[in-house]
Each structure stands twice: as C-alpha cells, then as structure tokens.
Amino acid sequence: MDIELFKELNLTPQNGKLTEEQIAKVKGLGCLSDKRYDNVFNVRVITGNGKLSTKKHKVIIEAADRFGSGEVALTSRMTFEIQGVEYNNIPSLISFLKENGIETGGTGPKVRPIVSCKGTTCRFGLIDTFSLSEKIHKLFYIGYHNEVLPHKFKIGVGGCPNNCVKPDLNDLGVIGQRIFTPDTEKCRGCAKCVIENSCPMNAAKVVDGKIKINPAICNKCGRCYLKCPFGVFSEAKEGYKIFIGGRWGKKTAMGKPLSQILESEEEVLSVIERAICLFRDEGIKGERFADTIERLGFGYVEEKLLGK
C-alpha cells in the first residue's frame, strides 16, 4: 500500500483505537504497531545496505523530532525505525521522508531490504559489498517490490568468510572469495613457510618440499594472497560463494552453498533473480525458502539457479 492509498482509505480509529485490520494495512508501509500504546507506530526507514549519507541522517533526525518521539532505533538488519509516531502523523512523516529521497517499508512477503557488511572498506573484504548490495537493492528490493512471494525473502552480502552479517543465515547469502591456483614451481619448501603460518584454517601444509592446499578445509579467505616472498600466491581473482535456504527465528536453518563458485557480479545477480522467481512460482504460501528447497530437493533447486 502506498501513501496515496493510505490517504484515501477510511482508517479513522474506532472508539479511539485502531482495529487489527487497520494496523495490518499500515504495516505494509513499514509502520509497526508499538505494543505499549494505542495508535502509535515505529516507522521503518529503508537504507539499502546500512549506509546513508550524513544529509539523510539529518533528515531522519528531523523527522523523528517533528513526527515521532525524538528517538531512532536500529534494527538487526541495518535499517532505522523512527519511534513513537502517532497514527495521524504517518502520512506527513512518509511524505516528508519521500521529499528527501527516503523510503519506508521493508515488511510483508516480499524481498526485504538488503544487508551488507563493510567489505568495501574492511581490510578483510574480498569484494565490493557496497556496490553489489546497492545493485541487488535496486534490482530486487525495488524492482520486485510488487511481486508477492510465499514469505519474506532476505538477502545478505558478506565481503569474506568472516561472516560478520551471517549471509548463510539468510534466504540467500553472498560471501566474497579469493580464487587462486598456487604456482608451485616457485615454491622452495621453506622450513618456516609464511603461507602455512598465516593460514587461519590450517589448510596449507608443506609436503615433500612443496606447499599443498587442502581444498576440503580452505575457505578461500585470501589471507595467504601475496604473502609468499617467492610469488607462489600472487595470481588471484574475485569469487562469490552463494548460500541458499538459511533462516533465523523461531525455526533456524544453516544455508547450504551452491557447488559452483561464481566469478562475476552478473552471475550473482542472475542466480538471485532465478532464486526469487523460483520461490515465487514454486513456493507454497507461508513457507520460507528453506522449506521450499527441502520440499523440492537441493539438487533440483541448484540446477535451476545455475541454469543447468
């Protein structure tokens, strides 16, 4: 429901209190009922990936002072909630935010706002998480906003296997990878191998005078990149590991990785689109994506997502 429809509806509180139906209708605008009070809401502001300009921060502060209680809370998915907005102030608040390029929402059985870590600036980040999450936000949170799904669909983007934003606990998660093939011809089998000593997973070992990487242990974190003084680990490229079927809440599920590491943002965006469309077309109302995958079979879903 958009703000113009809100204005047209007869949502005047009855006997001084809104009905459950009226509360549900404004929830679609990102206005969540505050259980402590009658007709008071906390209004969710969309950030895209948890990053806003200082100008927009000031707008949110002004909006909270003018239309709310003067308080702003952070959600677990890096959005803001303007606290203490009386029901009659909702239209003015949303209009004010919209005039300044800020949207409310982020509720309902749809693609939810994208969560991203700070991989673009973090020293451990292997991919440009800000850029990728903004593209995902525009293409799928905004672009698919009118697509009603069986349930909410959460997407998380992490810059490396540190998993700071827990991408593998989202319906679909992206984790940055560093893909390389060691040039073992350059390996001198050093007694104190800097690669072996720097590997946090203990996946690197010198065996018979040559460095070996155990692929079952290596998580492609890239900590070994450029560490070898002889250039054994000097050639690498970006990669993207995709997890599907994660969830957190009353029921939890750890996402499972696709068997193929993707090598471009275009591939990532294509897989995300296929996942959303598969969930929309083959999911059952009320089930999360994890349930859809379990019902259809991981192998079937993976083939669909990878276009095999």
Side-chain angles (χ1 to χ4, degrees):
M1 183 176 73
D2 62 27
I3 191 62
E4 296 305 320
L5 180 57
F6 175 92
K7 292 176 181 177
E8 293 172 9
L9 291 173
N10 180 16
L11 294 178
T12 303
Q14 298 176 4
N15 300 320
K17 188 175 180 179
L18 291 167
T19 65
E20 290 298 320
E21 182 182 3
Q22 289 171 325
I23 291 172
K25 285 181 177 179
V26 294
K27 183 180 179 181
L29 291 167
C31 307
L32 307 177
S33 177
D34 190 321
K35 68 179 184 181
R36 300 171 297 176
Y37 314 106
D38 291 339
N39 309 336
V40 174
F41 295 80
N42 301 319
V43 181
R44 189 166 290 175
V45 175
I46 305 305
T47 65
N49 59 3
K51 181 166 67 73
L52 284 176
S53 67
T54 55
K55 181 179 178 180
K56 288 186 176 180
H57 274 278
K58 291 174 182 177
V59 170
I60 293 169
I61 292 169
E62 183 179 349
D65 286 337
R66 287 177 59 181
F67 306 107
S69 64
E71 297 176 309
V72 178
L74 293 173
T75 75
S76 62
R77 291 186 64 79
M78 298 186 185
T79 59
F80 291 111
E81 280 184 4
I82 295 175
Q83 304 287 289
V85 180
E86 293 185 7
Y87 174 76
N88 292 330
N89 282 338
I90 290 175
S92 298
L93 167 66
I94 293 178
S95 295
F96 174 75
L97 292 173
K98 197 166 187 177
E99 288 168 4
N100 288 278
I102 300 173
E103 299 286 341
T104 66
T107 58
K110 300 180 179 184
V111 176
R112 293 294 184 87
I114 316 306
V115 172
S116 160
C117 77
K118 309 302 182 287
T120 301
T121 58
C122 174
R123 67 191 183 96
F124 297 123
L126 305 175
I127 60 174
D128 187 348
T129 54
F130 288 159
S131 173
L132 178 57
S133 59
E134 286 172 3
K135 290 174 183 175
I136 296 171
H137 177 81
K138 291 175 182 176
L139 286 172
F140 304 116
Y141 175 74
I142 296 175
Y144 276 63
H145 192 66
N146 293 324
E147 295 287 345
V148 177
L149 304 177
H151 210 299
K152 58 190 171 186
F153 193 91
K154 295 181 176 180
I155 301 172
V157 179
C160 77
N162 280 351
N163 279 9
C164 293
V165 295
K166 303 175 180 61
D168 52 0
L169 290 176
N170 283 254
D171 296 279
L172 186 146
V174 182
I175 296 179
Q177 304 272 271
R178 180 155 278 153
I179 306 171
F180 57 84
T181 301
D183 186 353
T184 53
E185 292 293 320
K186 297 178 180 178
C187 179
R188 301 188 182 186
C190 300
K192 290 187 177 181
C193 173
V194 68
I195 300 301
E196 185 174 334
N197 291 335
S198 66
C199 179
M201 303 301 292
N202 295 318
K205 299 289 181 183
V206 176
V207 179
D208 297 328
K210 294 291 183 181
I211 190 71
K212 304 287 185 183
I213 304 296
N214 185 338
I217 300 176
C218 176
N219 65 358
K220 297 180 174 56
C221 67
R223 301 286 182 90
C224 57
Y225 182 55
L226 299 180
K227 290 287 178 67
C228 176
F230 305 108
V232 176
F233 292 80
S234 60
E235 298 293 330
K237 55 186 176 182
E238 288 183 351
Y240 306 82
K241 192 171 188 176
I242 307 296
F243 285 82
I244 59 173
R247 63 189 293 179
W248 192 254
K250 293 184 288 295
K251 294 182 179 180
T252 61
M254 185 69 71
K256 291 181 63 176
L258 299 184
S259 58
Q260 179 179 328
I261 303 296
L262 307 183
E263 297 185 14
S264 70
E265 287 189 350
E266 289 72 23
E267 290 178 290
V268 173
L269 297 174
S270 178
V271 165
I272 293 174
E273 184 168 31
R274 290 190 184 119
I276 295 169
C277 291
L278 183 146
F279 188 41
R280 178 196 63 195
D281 298 339
E282 302 191 44
I284 298 173
K285 184 177 180 180
E287 71 178 5
R288 289 290 296 272
F289 193 42
D291 303 319
T292 304
I293 294 168
E294 183 176 2
R295 178 170 53 80
L296 297 176
F298 182 85
Y300 170 83
V301 174
E302 181 179 49
E303 287 186 2
K304 288 282 189 176
L305 301 194
L306 294 178
K308 293 182 179 179

